[in-house]
Amino acid sequence: MIVKNILSEELLTISEVREMLNEIMEERLNKGDELRYELRKAINHAEMFSRMSAQKSRELVNKLMELEKMKPEIAVRIADIAPQTRDELRTLYAKERYTLSESELDSILDLVSEALE
């Protein structure tokens, strides 16, 4: 497949991708089309690694974006991985030029635990 130009770009969580892929799968199955290998593998991957619903993951990203020192890429990674400990969360910030305080880490972990409920 040759891509000539990109019309738009948006960061999506794995849960949102899973929902989109399931819609594509249903659409193709209703048409009677065969699911190609790549699509089946992508659906399998999304099903295996998504931890919450698409709506909850987007809500989590939006809440995380309200925090200070939060980039969109990191917010999406946090929603995808759903870290449970401070150490897991610190690994997501390892490449950043700043570190988070214990209270900032705890507030992020609280948001993640709320989203997983």
Side-chain angles (χ1 to χ4, degrees):
M1 180 168 96
I2 298 173
V3 178
K4 293 190 178 193
N5 58 6
I6 298 172
L7 300 177
S8 68
E9 188 174 287
E10 180 183 355
L11 291 174
L12 297 173
T13 64
I14 195 81
S15 300
E16 292 171 321
V17 171
R18 181 192 70 208
E19 190 173 278
M20 290 175 152
L21 288 173
N22 284 334
E23 289 173 9
I24 292 169
M25 179 180 69
E26 289 174 14
E27 185 179 300
R28 290 193 180 173
L29 290 175
N30 289 338
K31 286 183 184 177
D33 293 344
E34 180 182 342
L35 297 179
R36 300 188 72 193
Y37 173 77
E38 294 87 358
L39 179 60
R40 289 194 315 267
K41 292 299 275 183
I43 291 169
N44 185 26
H45 179 84
E47 289 289 338
M48 189 180 309
F49 291 106
S50 65
R51 299 185 186 260
M52 61 187 84
S53 70
Q55 181 182 2
K56 282 190 174 186
S57 67
R58 182 48 55 184
E59 289 173 4
L60 176 59
V61 169
N62 291 337
K63 287 179 184 176
L64 289 170
M65 288 306 300
E66 294 172 3
L67 299 175
E68 192 176 327
K69 297 182 182 178
M70 185 61 66
K71 294 181 181 178
E73 298 85 12
I74 295 175
V76 168
R77 268 190 262 150
I78 290 172
D80 286 344
I81 296 171
Q84 299 297 308
T85 65
R86 290 179 183 167
D87 290 335
E88 290 174 353
L89 193 53
R90 281 188 189 107
T91 59
L92 297 175
Y93 278 92
K95 290 185 178 181
E96 299 302 316
R97 294 180 182 258
Y98 50 86
T99 58
L100 297 177
S101 68
E102 299 298 321
S103 62
E104 291 171 326
L105 291 171
D106 289 338
S107 65
I108 294 171
L109 290 174
D110 290 340
L111 290 173
V112 171
S113 64
E114 286 175 19
L116 288 174
E117 292 177 355

